[in-house]
Amino acid sequence: MNSKVKKFYITTPIYYVNDRMHLGHAYTTIAADVLARYHRLKGERVFFLTGTDEHGGKIEKAAEKLGKSPKQLCDDNVRRFKKGWEKLNISYDNFIRTTDSYHEEAVKKALEILHKKGLIYKGVYRGLYCLGCEQYKTESDLVNGKCPDHKKKPEIIEEESYLFRLSKFGEEIRKKIKQDELLIRPEDKKKEVLEFLKGGLKDISISRKKVKWGIPLPFAPHLTTYVWIEAFLNYLTGVGWEGNPKKLPEFWPADVHLMAKDIARVHATIWPAVLLGLEIALPKQIFVHGYFTIEGQKMSKSLGNVIWPEELIEKFGVDGTRYLLLSACCFGKDGDISWGKLKEKYNADLAKGIGNLVSRVITIGETLGFKSEALKLRQVHSTEIGKQIDATWKNYERAFDEFKLDKALDSIWKLIAFCDQYIEKKRVWEESKEQKICVLCLLYTISEIAKMLESFLPETSNKILCQLGLKSDEKKCVFAVEKKESLFPRLNSK
Ligand code: MSP
């Protein structure tokens, strides 16, 4: 492997398997997939890690309710997650399960190290615990005495416990975040974390007495490991770490951990502290995207408003789903969706926008008999359309550099709108002296659009290139157009 080639290591959170995957999981994972594909296309060495978080009381209880063993529940839901990712064209390099033995073994080694260094010590822990979050809460986290996310009163837990000296690392972490050594983006999320860190950090319990479904603590095997501690370590074990801080995987440190705001704070406190304790470099960036609500409400099974990715795929297709989720809101800000809004956008941007443009231009190309029609690239470069393409690539790349995925899409759709106007302005359907070159320029623009779409909508990109019958070298493009089925059939108003 060529070590001079830039590497890009991206992770999603590992998802809880108490249920099947929902739209929120799909959003993060599609976004990570788009970023992974983009960096691969740039020629970088990419590692894209996703997976499942399988231990802990929450899974144990969910399994009990269903009359299954925890392992059985995990296996069943992992199958559903994997099937979903396959359908959605998710190009992950590894799918880690925290019940995989390679993960469990490395976790035990890491815990031994922290214990030997005195960073894990025995004590008694008393605190308010929310099972839904699998996290201890402070009074100030609660609204009317309840967890604001799960609307339940946390339980008071007091038990013999092993604690991690989180308090030792608060100041160092605060400095690193402040100086962007550990980048937290968007800026408002960085501010929130810094504000929280001002108060210092308290030691946390990393063992569970009552939870049986977990990794036994190597130095106290009658206790299991707190699920978050081991879950974080997936980011290392998932790229081959075996538990030795002196032997780090070539992909470490992660270039970006992607997640929503619900778990940003733990990622910006406990995770860096564990790494500092193990004397391992911190990840480069934590990027926090927004949270989806459905028609203004939190998506929840009890409200009956959950949108399952399978339903979206059924209605809008795989690429339709990928597009609609990523364009639904500004990446990094919260968003609200509804079936009505999604359908409207599908018809406007996909059926009418890209679908209509490709179909129109290919039809004209066919009428003109473009079976092997060449366009010299210098014929495009100085034209208004050529300039538009260059400007679009610039905006597109800038958007990617800043993780503004919706903006990258926006720049492509502006180019689509430009093409629509160009068709009207030049009346390219009419026979004229200029007609042939204008249609060739449009075909070329569509081929560039297909390239820009490759990370977002890989199937559509491929379908467009097939219809164009494009063969190109540095100097020219040759088109052999052939109309195929419509990219995004219009949905009726029902
Ligand atoms: N298992 C932990 C993560 C451990 S990572 C070391 C966990 N799992 S989770 O299944 O609850 O997934 C949370 C993540 O799912 C969020 O951070 C986000 O990436 C995604 N989303 C879940 N619901 C979402 C929305 N409603 N909107 C956007 N993303 C959402 O936390």
Side-chain angles (χ1 to χ4, degrees):
M1 206 174 281
N2 185 348
S3 60
K4 281 200 190 112
V5 178
K6 208 171 154 196
K7 67 130 186 112
F8 183 73
Y9 172 28
I10 182 165
T11 67
T12 70
I14 45 172
Y15 304 113
Y16 288 130
V17 280
N18 52 322
D19 205 343
R20 59 188 167 125
M21 63 119 164
H22 61 64
L23 180 139
H25 304 136
Y27 181 63
T28 314
T29 312
I30 294 170
D33 182 63
V34 170
L35 286 158
R37 285 176 186 269
Y38 173 79
H39 284 269
R40 278 190 206 114
L41 285 169
K42 283 200 351 181
E44 295 172 20
R45 288 179 304 132
V46 170
F47 202 99
F48 168 17
L49 180 70
T50 190
T52 41
D53 193 353
E54 304 190 9
H55 291 124
K58 183 166 160 148
I59 311 287
E60 201 171 62
K61 281 216 170 136
E64 202 182 286
K65 247 188 174 170
L66 292 167
K68 292 183 183 182
S69 71
K71 177 78 170 98
Q72 212 182 342
L73 176 71
C74 293
D75 287 349
D76 291 348
N77 282 328
V78 163
R79 220 172 294 126
R80 295 157 99 177
F81 266 94
K82 283 192 170 170
K83 221 169 152 190
W85 296 158
E86 200 182 313
K87 265 199 187 158
L88 282 166
N89 240 326
I90 303 301
S91 62
Y92 58 76
D93 294 295
N94 187 18
F95 185 108
I96 187 170
R97 299 183 56 176
T98 52
T99 50
D100 287 334
S101 59
Y102 68 88
H103 172 79
E104 296 192 352
E105 290 315 309
V107 165
K108 286 185 198 157
K109 286 185 188 152
L111 292 171
E112 285 280 21
I113 295 169
L114 295 172
H115 186 230
K116 279 202 183 118
K117 283 186 168 181
L119 293 170
I120 290 177
Y121 63 96
K122 199 170 175 184
V124 173
Y125 192 85
R126 186 173 194 277
L128 296 164
Y129 196 73
C130 171
L131 190 65
C133 299
E134 289 281 15
Q135 279 177 47
Y136 278 104
K137 298 278 160 182
T138 60
E139 291 290 349
S140 63
D141 290 330
L142 308 178
V143 177
N144 298 329
K146 290 181 181 167
C147 163
D149 284 339
H150 295 93
K151 312 272 182 268
K152 282 200 181 133
K153 261 192 171 173
E155 301 170 54
I156 296 173
I157 293 189
E158 184 175 321
E159 59 185 29
E160 165 208 5
S161 188
Y162 280 83
L163 290 101
F164 173 58
R165 280 191 209 285
L166 188 59
S167 56
K168 185 171 184 279
F169 300 101
E171 191 44 31
E172 193 174 350
I173 294 170
R174 200 182 67 81
K175 270 196 197 134
K176 286 192 187 286
I177 294 177
K178 194 152 184 253
Q179 291 161 1
D180 284 342
E181 241 177 89
L182 167 57
L183 210 61
I184 299 186
R185 288 292 181 274
E187 280 286 336
D188 58 331
K189 294 293 176 304
K190 171 180 165 178
K191 272 196 198 136
E192 270 173 45
V193 169
L194 284 175
E195 195 52 42
F196 175 75
L197 280 164
K198 260 190 194 163
L201 295 173
K202 286 206 189 92
D203 293 353
I204 52 159
S205 161
I206 57 108
S207 65
R208 295 292 179 270
K209 203 168 184 174
K210 288 191 198 123
V211 178
K212 295 282 162 277
W213 181 238
I215 302 178
L217 283 186
F219 40 83
H222 62 294
L223 303 174
T224 57
T225 309
Y226 172 42
V227 49
W228 270 100
I229 288 283
E230 56 130 330
F232 283 129
L233 287 164
N234 96 87
Y235 298 135
L236 276 165
T237 59
V239 276
W241 188 60
E242 290 175 355
N244 180 352
K246 299 243 150 48
K247 267 199 192 158
L248 292 174
E250 58 151 332
F251 277 99
W252 192 258
D255 291 81
V256 58
H257 291 319
L258 203 61
M259 68 199 68
K261 60 183 176 188
D262 53 342
I263 55 174
R265 191 200 282 177
V266 275
H267 272 83
T269 50
I270 305 178
W271 177 222
V274 169
L275 288 168
L276 290 172
L278 291 167
E279 292 174 72
I280 293 177
L282 302 192
K284 292 187 193 155
Q285 175 166 194
I286 290 174
F287 190 93
V288 187
H289 65 64
Y291 216 71
F292 273 121
T293 48
I294 316 276
E295 294 181 72
Q297 304 242 39
K298 187 183 153 79
M299 183 168 61
S300 91
K301 278 213 282 189
S302 52
L303 288 173
N305 65 351
V306 179
I307 295 183
W308 302 103
E310 291 83 356
E311 296 174 294
L312 290 176
I313 297 172
E314 173 89 26
K315 197 158 183 76
F316 304 118
V318 170
D319 279 0
T321 302
R322 290 172 65 106
Y323 176 79
L324 291 173
L325 289 184
L326 285 191
S327 64
C329 68
C330 172
F331 199 65
K333 295 229 163 73
D334 293 347
D336 186 59
I337 56 174
S338 69
W339 277 104
K341 273 198 258 179
L342 291 173
K343 210 161 111 183
E344 217 173 277
K345 208 159 166 49
Y346 172 93
N347 276 337
D349 295 358
L350 297 174
K352 193 157 170 284
I354 180 76
N356 191 43
L357 173 70
V358 171
S359 149
R360 248 178 126 183
V361 179
I362 297 279
T363 304
I364 306 173
E366 271 192 340
T367 323
L368 291 172
F370 285 180
K371 292 256 160 57
S372 174
E373 203 64 33
L375 170 74
K376 292 197 184 96
L377 289 180
R378 63 178 159 75
Q379 288 178 286
V380 200
H381 285 323
S382 52
T383 62
E384 56 171 328
I385 217 164
K387 284 182 193 146
Q388 199 68 29
I389 295 171
D390 288 347
T392 306
W393 273 116
K394 263 195 205 130
N395 291 336
Y396 173 88
E397 269 155 19
R398 189 175 326 122
F400 261 105
D401 289 344
E402 295 168 358
F403 287 85
K404 292 184 172 160
L405 300 184
D406 56 306
K407 288 275 174 317
L409 280 174
D410 209 43
S411 63
I412 306 175
W413 259 259
K414 286 208 172 95
L415 186 57
I416 293 172
F418 179 88
C419 290
D420 285 336
Q421 284 162 14
Y422 183 87
I423 292 174
E424 295 303 317
K425 198 167 95 187
K426 303 272 180 186
R427 304 177 72 81
V428 297
W429 60 89
E430 283 176 2
E431 225 176 278
S432 72
K433 246 192 350 203
E434 272 189 305
Q435 187 192 22
K436 203 166 134 185
I437 183 78
C438 286
V439 176
L440 279 171
C441 280
L442 280 165
L443 289 170
Y444 174 70
T445 314
I446 290 174
S447 73
E448 292 291 288
I449 289 175
K451 285 180 201 157
M452 293 174 197
L453 282 179
E454 197 174 337
S455 320
F456 288 101
L457 315 179
E459 276 177 14
T460 305
S461 164
N462 196 25
K463 281 187 195 163
I464 297 174
L465 292 172
C466 269
Q467 295 198 42
L468 293 171
L470 177 71
K471 289 207 179 84
S472 58
D473 58 34
E474 271 156 35
K475 291 198 172 138
K476 62 175 187 316
C477 287
V478 179
F479 298 98
V481 301
E482 192 188 346
K483 188 138 190 214
K484 302 249 168 70
E485 63 189 29
S486 106
L487 294 174
F488 297 101
R490 206 181 158 75
L491 292 173
N492 60 26
S493 52
K494 260 194 288 163

